[in-house]
Amino acid sequence: QLEESGGGSVESGGSLKLTCTATRYTYSKFCMGWFRQAPGKEREVVARFETDGVLTYADSVKGRFTVSRDNANNRMYLQMDNLEPGDSALYFCATDSVFAGGTWSSRCHFDIWGQGTQVTVSS
């Protein structure tokens, strides 16, 4: 119900744009975000829309990554510029079924996940 695409291998300093394609049942303006997991590390947030729709970024990607949305087509994008080897990971998009279903909660619970797309950055 969520599908990521656009991953690949690039050299340090390069760019990639990831796409998260949702359905109208899994797309939300709230509590939807990008996450990543590198081998041997815990999954971490890259950027996420909060319960009020505010977009927040991880400090490690601020100024380099940009999230955009195409609400008409249920898509969310992650533009990644000036990539570094430390950005290498499996990237996921995720959403909250409560918000995707049109209701509201006081907290985000990311319970719908895609299978991920691999990003590899070489030095």
Side-chain angles (χ1 to χ4, degrees), residues 22-44:
T23 70
R24 66 188 181 101
Y25 301 108
T26 57
Y27 187 83
S28 175
K29 296 180 181 179
F30 313 96
C31 296
M32 193 166 182
W34 287 98
F35 299 78
R36 66 186 182 186
Q37 186 168 20
K41 295 186 177 181
E42 293 188 356
R43 187 157 50 191
E44 62 178 3

Side-chain angles (χ1 to χ4, degrees), residues 52-83:
D52 56 0
V54 173
L55 177 62
T56 60
Y57 291 90
D59 288 342
S60 59
V61 306
K62 282 181 181 178
R64 301 187 299 121
F65 290 13
T66 304
V67 174
S68 61
R69 310 182 68 135
D70 177 358
N71 294 326
N73 291 296
N74 300 325
R75 289 180 178 168
M76 180 176 65
Y77 303 98
L78 180 65
Q79 176 67 44
M80 306 185 293
D81 297 317
N82 195 19
L83 283 160

Side-chain angles (χ1 to χ4, degrees), residues 1-21:
Q1 292 183 322
L2 292 175
E3 183 176 0
E4 304 91 343
S5 60
S9 297
V10 297
E11 293 186 349
S12 183
S15 298
L16 284 172
K17 186 174 184 178
L18 306 184
T19 300
C20 174
T21 302

